[in-house]
Amino acid sequence: MCDGFQPVREWLAQTRPDVAVLDVQLPDGSGIDACRDIRSANPTVSCLILTAFDDRDATDAAVLAGASGYVLKNIRGQGLIESIRRVARGETLISATVSRSVVASLTERHSDPLAELTMRETQVLGLI
């Protein structure tokens, strides 16, 4: 796999994939970070995250990284092939429920920016 942004660009230029299938845990990094790098370098490449764990944090991170799909490794061969084809056609394999949940989570976290200030930052802001 690629390590860093420049090698990602080189890999994309050499292979010109329509879909990148990435494991969440790669020997040299995170598939979610690789997804983010790939989508930044070439937004036309779709990323399909393949993982052994149904982890909510990883699912949220995959959505935020721009993944088009998130499938578990217990998927059968034909199911994986169909998932790759669907992502290549531009379909999203992340449920609307998960997408809404990610948006709600981001909205909740950032609804009150002052809530994230430390006590000292709040005191300084009050003095200003």
Side-chain angles (χ1 to χ4, degrees):
M1 189 62 227
C2 315
D3 182 27
F5 196 70
Q6 188 57 34
V8 167
R9 288 185 183 276
E10 292 170 10
W11 175 77
L12 288 170
Q14 290 172 1
T15 59
R16 298 198 311 239
D18 294 319
V19 177
V21 179
L22 305 162
D23 196 328
V24 170
Q25 296 177 339
L26 298 170
D28 57 351
S30 161
I32 293 171
D33 290 338
C35 174
R36 188 176 299 106
D37 290 347
I38 290 167
R39 300 281 296 152
S40 293
N42 189 342
T44 64
V45 177
S46 298
C47 293
L48 180 63
I49 303 293
L50 180 66
T51 185
F53 305 103
D54 190 8
D55 177 4
R56 177 59 192 265
D57 291 336
T59 305
D60 291 355
V63 170
L64 294 173
S68 297
Y70 189 94
V71 294
L72 298 178
K73 286 184 179 180
N74 64 0
I75 192 170
R76 298 219 179 250
Q78 191 59 40
L80 178 58
I81 291 169
E82 183 56 30
S83 295
I84 293 168
R85 288 180 177 152
R86 289 179 60 194
V87 167
R89 288 191 302 261
E91 294 181 39
T92 301
L93 300 183
I94 296 174
S95 73
T97 304
V98 170
S99 296
R100 281 192 300 271
S101 174
V102 171
V103 170
S105 173
L106 287 173
T107 303
E108 288 171 11
R109 264 190 272 164
H110 299 293
S111 63
D112 184 9
L114 298 179
E116 296 180 22
L117 296 178
T118 65
M119 182 175 29
R120 183 67 184 145
E121 291 169 333
T122 303
Q123 290 170 343
V124 170
L125 183 60
L127 294 171
I128 295 173

